[in-house]
Amino acid sequence: LAGAQPASAQSFLARCKACRKEFSSEGALNQHTSSKKHRTTVKKSNFTEDTAVERLQGVEADAVVEARQALAEAEPEIEEDPIPTACLFCPEQFDAIETNLAHM
């Protein structure tokens, strides 16, 4: 397929549903699942070792990674003048915060 990535270059994403953690590499996931804390958490949960981990690879993982990157890049709109010049208790507006505070 044109444009398809080789299996080794595809994205990897895994979730440990029991511990509520995510991993972007197989090595990090393996290290986590072999930890005592993970094994204890799985025993206390409704999960088994087989059902605790969800792996996403290739296109599915790429879609999750791309969506997260888009969210991270989206900057919230910030007002140019964040200083409150409107009274919190009535519809009055003021030119300066000091005047607003004196009014309130």
Side-chain angles (χ1 to χ4, degrees):
L1 287 171
Q5 295 176 329
S8 61
Q10 289 181 339
S11 295
F12 174 89
L13 183 65
R15 289 186 200 116
C16 175
K17 295 182 279 186
C19 299
R20 296 182 180 175
K21 293 189 176 195
E22 292 189 351
F23 305 92
S24 58
S25 73
E26 189 78 41
L29 174 64
N30 291 338
Q31 184 175 12
H32 170 73
T33 55
S34 65
S35 72
K36 183 177 180 179
K37 186 174 181 180
H38 166 77
R39 291 192 309 268
T40 302
T41 302
V42 170
K43 284 180 186 176
K44 291 179 180 179
S45 72
N46 294 327
F47 294 104
T48 66
E49 282 294 333
D50 293 332
T51 62
V53 175
E54 174 183 31
R55 287 177 171 83
L56 304 175
Q57 290 182 303
V59 174
E60 192 174 17
D62 289 341
V64 171
V65 170
E66 287 173 16
R68 287 196 178 142
Q69 287 173 342
L71 285 173
E73 291 170 3
E75 293 188 28
E77 291 183 29
I78 299 174
E79 295 179 26
E80 284 187 32
D81 186 11
I83 298 172
T85 55
C87 177
L88 297 174
F89 308 105
C90 73
E92 287 285 330
Q93 293 282 334
F94 300 91
D95 293 332
I97 190 167
E98 292 82 10
T99 312
N100 187 12
L101 291 173
H103 165 77
M104 289 192 283

